[in-house]
Amino acid sequence: MIIKQYFKDFIALFFPQTCVGCDAPLVRGEDLICTTCWYHMPYTHGHKDARNVSARQLWGRAQLEAVASYMYFLDASRVQQLLHQLKYRNRPEIGVLMGTKYGEILSATAPFNQIDIIVPIPLHPVKLRKRGYNQSVFFAQGLSSSMQRPVVAHCVARHRATESQTQKNRYERYENMLGTFMVSDPGIVTGKHILLADDVLTTGATIEACATVLLDAGAAKVSAVTIAKAV
């Protein structure tokens, strides 16, 4: 073990791993994100407040039990940097880490600690093939490891490709999501409290559409969490 650690230290001397949030070299004991970035992340603490900004955004749109986001998404921020790495730079392990950390918090917080299964928001098969993975699945896996609840990744399918949401307003995003999701196996969700997991909450149209089909399919309750909330 000592020789192995010396070897790792030697490799790190010439090929240092860097923080995905700020690019600073990581030191021993740090994993993906440096201690400074963890300290300065813009946490929402939304899990403590049922009336948090993420939850209020979906009021009157879908019958959600609870909604919370781990961090705020700001332009040119650490959060933007790590989410860019997660989605577009083949770093799915960032999603697992975010889920594990947030899951530790949620596992001690009602009603999130009362969920039965975790369902990641699905990607359309075309986008999944292009990207190679669904970042929300890895976030869900991290949540699962801390919350001790299973991930059910295939009970909801995204059967219609949508246009890019980037330049759309709230109503246009809602229209763009209509008819996008379907529940492939209602028996899995019937009577369950489901936790939806996604990367970023923007207008809420995606979560609204997915939660609606789950409730229509017989889910008892639906809650939702995201890594970040756009501001």
Side-chain angles (χ1 to χ4, degrees):
M1 288 297 294
I2 294 176
I3 294 175
K4 185 177 180 180
Q5 187 59 57
Y6 279 146
F7 180 73
K8 287 183 177 180
D9 291 344
F10 177 78
I11 294 296
L13 183 64
F14 294 98
F15 304 99
Q17 291 185 315
T18 58
C19 173
V20 295
C22 69
D23 286 331
L26 296 174
V27 301
R28 187 184 299 181
E30 293 179 338
D31 179 26
L32 295 176
I33 300 173
C34 70
T35 303
T36 299
C37 277
W38 278 122
Y39 182 80
H40 291 288
M41 289 291 185
Y43 301 105
T44 71
H45 302 289
H47 59 282
K48 298 179 180 179
D49 180 11
R51 301 170 62 87
N52 70 74
V53 63
S54 296
R56 292 200 307 271
Q57 188 167 332
L58 284 151
W59 282 357
R61 298 168 57 185
Q63 192 63 42
L64 289 156
E65 184 74 5
V67 182
S69 302
Y70 193 16
M71 303 169 181
Y72 289 112
F73 182 99
L74 305 167
D75 288 339
S77 67
R78 292 175 171 88
V79 176
Q80 183 186 49
Q81 169 73 3
L82 69 87
L83 284 173
H84 183 81
Q85 295 282 328
L86 167 62
K87 293 178 70 172
Y88 306 115
R89 290 292 182 266
N90 196 29
R91 301 295 300 274
E93 66 271 22
I94 297 170
V96 177
L97 179 61
M98 291 289 106
T100 301
K101 292 287 188 180
Y102 203 27
E104 290 171 357
I105 296 169
L106 297 175
S107 61
T109 308
F112 299 104
N113 58 2
Q114 299 163 7
I115 58 106
D116 297 303
I117 60 175
I118 302 169
V119 175
I121 296 288
L123 289 178
H124 187 270
V126 172
K127 183 173 286 188
L128 181 61
R129 285 195 297 271
K130 182 178 180 180
R131 185 171 296 168
Y133 61 93
N134 179 356
Q135 68 277 1
S136 295
V137 169
F138 288 91
F139 177 48
Q141 288 174 355
L143 291 167
S144 175
S145 68
S146 295
M147 301 179 75
Q148 298 297 296
R149 296 293 189 275
V151 175
V152 181
H154 302 295
C155 67
V156 178
R158 197 164 190 151
H159 66 98
R160 185 176 71 85
T162 55
E163 301 172 7
S164 172
Q165 300 274 66
T166 306
Q167 302 299 321
K168 297 183 183 296
N169 61 34
R170 174 173 166 174
Y171 182 73
E172 289 170 337
R173 289 185 183 222
Y174 169 74
E175 281 198 319
N176 193 38
M177 296 306 300
L178 288 176
T180 297
F181 300 105
M182 64 176 292
V183 177
S184 54
D185 189 348
I188 294 177
V189 305
T190 300
K192 298 289 197 306
H193 183 177
I194 296 167
L195 181 65
L196 284 175
D198 204 4
D199 54 352
V200 181
L201 175 63
T202 48
T203 65
T206 302
I207 287 176
E208 177 185 6
C210 197
T212 298
V213 298
L214 284 167
L215 290 166
D216 288 346
K221 299 176 183 178
V222 178
S223 295
V225 293
T226 65
I227 298 173
K229 165 72 178 77
V231 294

